[in-house]
């Protein structure tokens, strides 16, 4: 599903590469934690998957497509197969829960009837039934993140990328978020989650890829956050 | 493609930057009105030219006692024989469509009638006899003007040959000057309008960066992301163009009508020409705004 072949990415403002000859394979339906200190290359990895950045060396394949050969005007179609969740939720404050989720479908031109059918299903899937009419500022952090996940998943992407989705949420609520992500993973969606949250990684016992200074220092199935544990 | 979504986004953008939108519309309207005014004058001049070219007459003034020309001084006033000879010459010339002869009395009368109403002082100052008797010659084609003029100049008893051409040329020059002045100011204004539109669209893109960021992430096509901004520019241009059209129509029915009345002829600028000017102005407004928006977006809306 995601295939990195000896990928190097250097940002022009920095000497040290953000990713340094990284080769990673993520299969369809996998759940992968991406761990490592800040600046280890986690976000760069996610940006390369979305083709927000281009690698300086190596090849990136996502959903069977060689991104180097993907023309710019086809990038939106790639992104429709990838859902994204962020630490800061990125909801639209002037739209309610339903509208926020529906927005993702409206802007790719889905018919209204389809939207009316699908959005409530996804809102229920993330555990927000009965809150479709709420505005984001009336929701807790955990609930807002659920809306963001619903928006990322409403188009049934093959891949869900999550960049520290629990970074702004207390540990108890984080467990709920992880359950939602796990539920999504069980529908066959590949989930890649970058995180600093050791407790979550340890409790889930999923594949863990650890990056440090742009290198893969550990790739472990059913791993934990740090080797010290 | 969901038209309703795009239109509502466009509307939100226009409303959110209302003051800037008004500034854009005003600038576009003024610049297009000036541009349209220039075009209008241009159309008017060319219509007047073709009107006058068909009616251009040559006036051959005969010598009289007070003619200052050297030939008249030497040979004295024109004699009847001179006039008969000139008549014969004119009859022989194929370029001459026809002519009428005005005696000094008739010429004075004609002058009183034409000038008397608009310039009384001049009419009163002119005495009968100041204007020599003359031939009014109609040409088959205005391009024969020089041929005929050269042929009769120097004939016995001929004082001078003049035509409306020289008067009209001065008028054309004036209108040409007006036209270019209007077009240059319009150009400067259009440049200012373009900068304003660029800024407005930039502001609009900035204030909606959250929405466009999400649109990008969920895979909305570039066209879909840009379309509301492009429409925002296009709508501003269209409204500006429509206001300018109002100005242009007003100009047509006040200024040009006055000019026509002043010159006592009826070359009413046709509705066709008016529609052409309005059409060109509106299209220019919409194109200018849309293209500027597009160029701005390429810089400020990362896809």
């Amino acid at each position: 599903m995601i295939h990195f072949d000896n990928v190097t990415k250097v940002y022009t403002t920095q000497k040290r590469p953000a990713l340094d000859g990284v080769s990673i394979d993520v299969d369809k339906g996998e759940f992968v934690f991406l761990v490592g200190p800040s600046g280890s290359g986690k976000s760069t990895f996610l940006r390369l998957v979305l083709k927000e950045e281009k690698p300086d060396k190596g090849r990136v394949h996502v959903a069977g497509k060689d991104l180097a050969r993907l023309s710019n005007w086809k990038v939106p179609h790639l992104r429709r197969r990838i859902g994204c969740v962020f630490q800061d939720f990125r909801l639209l404050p002037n739209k309610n829960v339903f509208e926020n989720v529906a927005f993702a479908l409206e802007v790719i031109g889905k018919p209204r009837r389809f939207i009316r059918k699908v959005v409530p299903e996804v809102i229920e899937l993330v555990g927000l039934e009965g809150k479709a009419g709420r505005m984001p500022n009336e929701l807790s952090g955990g609930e807002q993140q659920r809306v963001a996940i619903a928006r990322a998943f409403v188009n049934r992407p093959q891949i869900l990328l999550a960049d520290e989705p629990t970074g702004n949420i207390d540990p108890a609520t984080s467990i709920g978020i992880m359950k939602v992500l796990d539920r999504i993973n069980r529908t066959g969606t590949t989930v890649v989650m970058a995180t600093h949250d050791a407790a979550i990684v340890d409790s889930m016992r999923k594949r863990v890829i650890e990056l440090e200074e742009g290198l893969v220092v550990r790739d472990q199935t059913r791993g934990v956050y740090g080797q010290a544990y | 493609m969901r038209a309703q979504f795009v239109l509502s986004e466009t509307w939100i953008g226009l409303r959110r930057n209302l003051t800037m939108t008004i500034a854009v519309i005003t600038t576009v309207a003024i610049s297009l009105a000036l541009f349209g005014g220039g075009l209008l004058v241009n159309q008017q001049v060319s219509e007047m030219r073709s009107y006058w070219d068909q009616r251009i007459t040559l006036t051959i003034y005969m010598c009289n006692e007070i003619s200052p020309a050297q030939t008249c001084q030497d040979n004295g006033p024109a004699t009847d024989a001179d006039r008969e000879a000139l008549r014969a010459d004119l009859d022989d010339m194929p370029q001459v469509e026809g002519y009428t002869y005005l005696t000094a009395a008739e010429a004075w009368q004609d002058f009183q009638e034409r000038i008397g109403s608009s310039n009384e002082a001049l009419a009163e100052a002119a005495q009968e006899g100041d204007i020599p008797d003359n031939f009014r010659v109609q040409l088959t084609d205005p391009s024969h003007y020089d041929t005929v003029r050269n042929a009769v100049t120097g004939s016995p008893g001929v004082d001078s040959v003049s035509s409306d051409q020289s008067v009209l040329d001065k008028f054309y020059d004036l209108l040409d000057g007006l036209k270019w002045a209007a077009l240059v100011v319009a150009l400067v204004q259009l440049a200012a309008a373009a900068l304003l539109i660029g800024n407005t669209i930039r502001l609009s893109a900035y204030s909606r960066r959250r929405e466009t960021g999400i649109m990008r992430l969920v895979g909305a096509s570039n066209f879909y992301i840009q379309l509301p901004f492009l429409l925002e520019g296009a709508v501003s241009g269209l409204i500006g163009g429509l206001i300018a059209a109002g100005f242009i129509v007003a100009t047509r029915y006040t200024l040009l009508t006055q000019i026509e009345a002043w010159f006592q002829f009826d070359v009413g600028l046709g509705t066709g020409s008016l529609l052409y000017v309005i059409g060109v102005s509106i299209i220019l407004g919409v194109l200018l705004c849309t293209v500027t928006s597009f160029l701005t977006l390429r810089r400020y809306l990362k896809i």
Side-chain angles (χ1 to χ4, degrees):
Chain A
M1 187 56 54
I2 300 173
H3 175 69
F4 274 49
D5 185 12
N6 211 12
V7 172
T8 299
K9 173 71 193 173
V10 187
Y11 291 108
T12 46
T13 51
Q14 277 159 328
K15 273 190 203 148
R16 191 175 61 75
L19 286 181
D20 194 355
V22 167
S23 295
I24 294 174
D25 263 306
V26 178
D27 289 333
K28 189 176 188 308
E30 264 196 290
F31 196 119
V32 179
F33 284 115
L34 216 51
V35 302
S38 298
S40 59
K42 304 190 297 291
S43 294
T44 302
F45 178 88
L46 298 179
R47 292 172 67 79
L48 283 167
V49 173
L50 283 166
K51 212 189 173 194
E52 292 211 47
E53 303 284 353
K54 287 180 186 135
D56 295 299
K57 274 186 214 142
R59 295 213 164 268
V60 178
H61 290 258
V62 175
K65 298 253 194 283
D66 181 351
L67 296 198
R69 291 200 196 166
L70 195 70
S71 61
N72 273 340
W73 67 273
K74 276 187 176 164
V75 170
H77 291 274
L78 168 77
R79 291 186 184 148
R80 286 178 199 187
R81 299 176 173 198
I82 306 171
C84 273
V85 180
F86 300 93
Q87 186 174 3
D88 56 355
F89 319 139
R90 302 196 187 173
L91 300 178
L92 299 174
N94 53 345
K95 290 187 190 289
N96 67 27
V97 171
F98 181 94
E99 290 163 345
N100 261 290
V101 178
F103 186 76
L105 295 175
E106 281 171 350
V107 299
I108 56 172
K110 294 286 185 193
R112 194 188 311 223
R113 218 161 9 122
F114 176 77
I115 293 174
R116 273 206 213 107
K117 180 174 157 293
V118 170
V119 172
E121 288 172 10
V122 177
I123 289 176
E124 195 184 324
L125 177 85
V126 298
L128 286 176
E129 55 270 41
K131 292 183 176 169
R134 300 274 190 94
M135 301 304 281
N137 60 4
E138 299 167 352
L139 299 173
S140 70
E143 286 169 329
Q144 287 187 47
Q145 192 59 290
R146 283 166 194 258
V147 179
I149 293 170
R151 184 180 64 196
F153 188 62
V154 69
N155 196 31
R156 305 283 161 165
Q158 292 165 286
I159 301 168
L160 186 75
L161 302 180
D163 196 355
E164 303 194 30
T166 57
N168 273 343
I169 296 165
D170 66 81
T173 316
S174 295
I175 293 169
I177 297 292
M178 291 317 296
K179 278 185 180 158
V180 173
L181 289 179
D182 191 40
R183 204 178 299 158
I184 284 170
N185 177 235
R186 281 172 205 279
T187 66
T189 305
T190 309
V191 178
V192 178
M193 172 170 161
T195 187
H196 285 300
D197 197 327
I200 282 173
V201 177
D202 293 346
S203 67
M204 297 280 286
R205 307 295 297 190
K206 300 282 188 185
R207 181 177 169 191
V208 175
I209 297 170
E210 185 175 350
L211 292 171
E212 208 177 297
E213 306 212 317
L215 295 166
V216 177
V217 294
R218 177 161 62 106
D219 187 348
Q220 194 175 17
T221 48
R222 298 182 60 76
V224 290
Y225 184 77
Q227 269 177 313
Y229 294 104
Chain B
M1 181 61 60
R2 290 174 38 121
Q4 199 201 343
F5 173 79
V6 173
L7 292 180
S8 83
E9 288 291 307
T10 308
W11 175 241
I12 289 170
L14 285 170
R15 227 182 29 191
R16 198 178 296 188
N17 299 316
L18 190 62
T19 48
M20 281 297 268
T21 307
I22 292 172
V24 167
I25 290 174
T26 315
T27 324
V28 170
I30 293 173
S31 48
L32 286 182
L34 282 169
F35 175 79
L39 276 188
L40 212 57
V41 169
N42 194 32
Q43 294 273 328
Q44 178 81 352
V45 167
S46 62
E47 287 199 17
M48 274 171 61
R49 250 189 193 137
S50 62
Y51 175 91
W52 279 108
D53 280 352
Q54 282 161 18
R55 285 161 190 77
I56 201 149
T57 55
L58 215 77
T59 308
I60 305 170
Y61 292 102
M62 305 307 287
C63 290
N64 63 4
E65 289 79 6
I66 55 168
S67 295
Q70 193 59 48
T71 48
C72 299
Q73 300 278 323
D74 295 345
N75 304 326
T79 61
D80 283 344
D82 291 339
R83 292 189 190 97
E84 283 310 315
L86 191 58
R87 272 179 202 277
D89 282 349
L90 289 174
D91 285 338
D92 287 344
M93 272 189 250
Q95 298 92 339
V96 173
E97 172 115 357
Y99 60 89
T100 48
Y101 173 71
L102 273 73
T103 63
E106 284 166 343
W108 183 75
Q109 196 64 38
D110 179 61
F111 177 77
Q112 292 291 331
E113 278 165 16
R114 280 196 305 160
I115 306 299
S117 58
S118 57
N119 196 338
E120 281 179 36
L122 185 62
E124 277 169 23
Q127 303 277 314
E128 188 172 343
D130 282 353
I131 303 161
D133 58 324
N134 56 60
F135 288 89
R136 299 266 166 90
V137 181
Q138 282 91 42
L139 301 175
T140 51
D141 191 289
S143 61
H144 296 137
Y145 170 76
D146 281 332
T147 323
V148 177
R149 180 195 164 96
N150 291 337
V152 296
T153 305
S155 293
V158 170
D159 175 0
S160 61
V161 182
S162 79
S163 82
D164 312 321
Q165 188 85 52
S166 49
V167 182
L168 280 176
D169 276 346
K170 275 183 195 152
F171 181 61
Y172 291 152
D173 285 349
L174 175 74
L175 283 183
D176 265 353
L178 270 178
K179 177 184 85 183
W180 285 113
L183 287 183
V184 166
V185 177
L187 213 67
V188 174
Q189 282 274 335
L190 282 174
L195 292 177
L196 255 180
I197 295 153
N199 257 320
T200 311
I201 296 301
R202 206 174 86 187
L203 261 182
S204 200
Y206 183 77
S207 68
R208 270 187 283 167
R209 64 196 183 285
R210 218 196 293 250
E211 279 88 342
T212 50
I214 292 165
M215 287 167 91
R216 232 158 53 75
L217 273 178
V218 301
S221 65
N222 299 347
F223 180 69
Y224 211 93
I225 297 176
Q226 294 188 346
L227 193 59
F229 296 101
L230 295 183
L231 281 178
E232 200 180 317
V235 167
S236 305
L238 184 66
I239 297 175
L242 289 174
I243 295 174
F247 280 127
I248 291 169
V249 171
T251 310
R252 159 72 185 88
Y253 285 107
T254 54
L255 191 66
L256 286 186
T257 308
Q258 269 181 8
I259 290 178
E260 279 166 16
W262 181 41
F263 271 82
Q264 296 175 353
F265 56 73
D266 180 35
V267 247
L269 199 57
T271 318
S273 302
L274 194 63
L275 287 179
Y276 165 79
V277 168
I278 289 174
V280 167
S281 301
I282 291 180
I283 289 170
L284 180 75
V286 173
L287 271 185
L288 175 85
C289 292
T290 315
V291 169
T292 316
S293 304
F294 180 71
L295 294 178
T296 311
L297 288 176
R298 279 167 58 108
R299 267 186 76 183
Y300 292 101
L301 197 66
K302 196 188 153 217
I303 299 299

